[in-house]
Amino acid sequence: MKRPVTILLTALAPVSWGTTYAVTTQFLPPDRPLFTGLMRALPAGLVLLAATRVLPRGIWWAKAAVLGALNIGAFFPLLFVSAYRLPGGMAAVVGSVGPLFVVGLSALLLGQRPAARTLVAGVVAAFGVSLVVLKGAGALDVIGVLAAVASTASMAAGTVLTKRWGRPDGVGPLVLTGWQLTAGGLLIAPVAFLVEGAPPALDGRAAGGYLYLALANTALAYWLWFRGIGRLSATQVGFLGPLSPLTAAVVGWAALGQALTPLQVAGMALAFGATLAGQLGTGRRPAFSSTEQTAPKDSMDLTGRALRR
């Protein structure tokens, strides 16, 4: 498959995640962020496990648990904590620096040295997102800021480690997605019940919202995301992250009647341009670095398959 098509398909993941806020506020019970995270992850993971019927073997039990914790189990709760404690779009602004986290971790773990224009594109993307989502000034909550930074770092680390470890020989991205969603959901479950108590009563509207989050917003979106990680550089995938807050802004304008100012439109153009620059800036680099070529056999097998597809 040609690289632009792969980029577009991978971009559907953060675009889908950008609808989460609207679905949560319009369809789901209020003040149940951990339960919502649980309902996004665990049912989707179990469905994928039942469909693929493949379980981890050997060291991959530990790897799947680590990736599930970083990409799902830690990321979801930290993201919701930051969203509830920070004013306006500050959590989204902190999250928009994710490409810079990915660039740094790729240099550390994958041996990929970032180009200057890649760093500039990351800064411009974060600045553009800030123009779109950052509202009036307010006192910043230290715990909220730390949670936002930690959630961003967790997702970035999960993206880079997914790239570094690859997949076991013969295992596709759908199987890997099921492993991670199940592991992450099992990690969230006891915390959700301990903090929030018994699950709330659900009407048809809420059930439909959770069904959308579990299937389209999570199972399908994360499959596209992990599939993209296998075929693109970690930096390219990371630069698609700002599409999530941009989509949230567009959905708020189109579906929720939230006005967009000229400054916000300019910020969207900046962030989208930086996202494109992030793809062009890394598009000619090998999908797997020299560091990965000395990795265990399962990663090397994936390298061969990814380059042939």
Side-chain angles (χ1 to χ4, degrees):
M1 182 176 292
K2 294 182 179 180
R3 187 174 298 274
V5 177
T6 301
I7 293 173
L8 289 175
L9 289 175
T10 308
L12 292 177
V15 168
S16 173
W17 298 333
T19 67
T20 303
Y21 174 78
V23 173
T24 300
T25 57
Q26 300 300 310
F27 291 88
L28 304 184
D31 302 324
R32 302 303 294 263
L34 294 177
F35 179 74
T36 297
L38 173 62
M39 291 297 290
R40 284 186 67 186
L42 190 56
L46 294 176
V47 167
L48 292 182
L49 282 184
T52 58
R53 299 183 180 182
V54 177
L55 293 177
R57 293 183 179 180
I59 191 61
W60 270 98
W61 282 102
K63 288 184 176 181
V66 170
L67 295 178
L70 291 172
N71 288 318
I72 309 294
F75 174 68
F76 280 2
L78 289 169
L79 181 67
F80 283 126
V81 168
S82 66
Y84 271 78
R85 299 184 72 106
L86 293 180
M90 178 59 72
V93 173
V94 177
S96 69
V97 303
L100 296 177
F101 278 98
V102 172
V103 168
L105 289 171
S106 294
L108 181 65
L109 298 177
L110 304 181
Q112 296 176 349
R113 303 178 65 179
R117 65 178 177 178
T118 301
L119 297 175
V120 171
V123 173
V124 172
F127 177 69
V129 170
S130 71
L131 294 181
V132 177
V133 302
L134 193 57
K135 306 299 182 183
L140 295 184
D141 183 280
V142 174
I143 295 178
V145 172
L146 292 176
V149 173
S151 68
T152 303
S154 179
M155 186 66 169
T159 297
V160 175
L161 280 180
T162 300
K163 184 67 179 178
R164 178 177 175 83
W165 288 342
R167 300 189 299 266
D169 190 24
V171 168
L174 195 64
V175 173
L176 184 64
T177 303
W179 293 351
Q180 294 191 50
L181 288 174
T182 302
L186 291 174
L187 183 63
I188 296 173
V191 180
F193 289 116
L194 180 64
V195 174
E196 297 179 350
L202 302 180
D203 57 16
R205 188 178 180 86
Y210 282 125
L211 186 64
Y212 166 78
L213 288 182
L215 297 181
N217 186 267
T218 303
L220 177 59
Y222 272 94
W223 170 66
L224 290 171
W225 186 254
F226 295 137
R227 174 182 176 278
I229 292 175
R231 303 186 180 196
L232 303 169
S233 73
T235 303
Q236 280 182 296
V237 175
F239 263 95
L240 296 175
L243 292 177
S244 180
L246 296 183
T247 301
V250 172
V251 171
W253 167 74
L256 304 181
Q258 299 172 354
L260 287 174
T261 67
L263 187 62
Q264 287 177 305
V265 174
M268 292 176 68
L270 274 177
F272 187 71
T275 298
L276 292 179
Q279 305 306 313
L280 298 175
T282 58
R284 295 185 178 181
R285 297 186 179 199
F288 289 80
S289 69
S290 58
T291 302
E292 291 173 280
Q293 294 173 2
T294 60
K297 182 179 182 297
D298 55 355
S299 295
M300 294 177 66
D301 289 339
L302 174 61
T303 303
R305 292 200 306 277
L307 293 178
R308 289 195 297 270
R309 289 176 180 172

